[in-house]
Amino acid sequence: MASTFTPNAGYEEPAHGDQNWDAPLRRNFDIADQLASVNVALQVQASGGLNVTVNPGQVQIGGNVFPFLGQTTIPMVANSTNFVLVSNIGVVTSNISGFPALSVPLARVFTGPANVISVVDTRSFLGGPG
């Protein structure tokens, strides 16, 4: 039986019972790696101490498109879970209470007393063919 391919990313799905999965898995890892390198719009990254940066990108909220042309640096609160988001008026900001209903979540940032411990990406992309 022949392999099939997923409709969006084109991942190869070997047929049931197929014993030769090594080539399709390597190909799928290559596709995933390429997709990850393209998707950096509004990505949040630790940038030293209690700061994060948000990569350039744009977001649409209602009928308004808000472009962010340069990196935005945002200070985080120590020893907290920080929520980084684009507010309903198009401002990249953060808080420690959660994502407001009318916002675009970007990341949850966990901090220690003097630095960022980890960044969890919460961006949602609805792109694809069409």
Side-chain angles (χ1 to χ4, degrees):
M1 187 177 231
S3 295
T4 58
F5 295 87
T6 62
N8 295 318
Y11 290 130
E12 186 172 356
E13 297 177 317
H16 292 286
D18 189 344
Q19 299 297 311
N20 300 316
W21 282 57
D22 57 323
L25 284 175
R26 280 195 301 276
R27 182 178 169 280
N28 290 346
F29 286 131
D30 289 343
I31 292 170
D33 187 58
Q34 288 173 354
L35 291 172
S37 69
V38 171
N39 221 356
V40 296
L42 299 174
Q43 182 180 33
V44 177
Q45 299 173 333
S47 65
L50 287 169
N51 295 309
V52 297
T53 56
V54 180
N55 286 341
Q58 65 182 11
V59 64
Q60 180 173 350
I61 301 173
N64 299 313
V65 175
F66 300 99
F68 302 97
L69 303 178
Q71 264 190 348
T72 303
T73 301
I74 302 174
M76 298 288 102
V77 176
N79 297 314
S80 299
T81 300
N82 293 261
F83 299 87
V84 181
L85 56 109
V86 179
S87 73
N88 64 334
I89 58 170
V91 176
V92 176
T93 187
S94 68
N95 67 51
I96 57 171
S97 59
F99 296 117
L102 298 176
S103 69
V104 177
L106 299 179
R108 282 191 316 271
V109 179
F110 300 92
T111 58
N115 63 325
V116 171
I117 296 170
S118 68
V119 178
V120 177
D121 193 341
T122 58
R123 296 172 299 162
S124 176
F125 292 98
L126 303 175

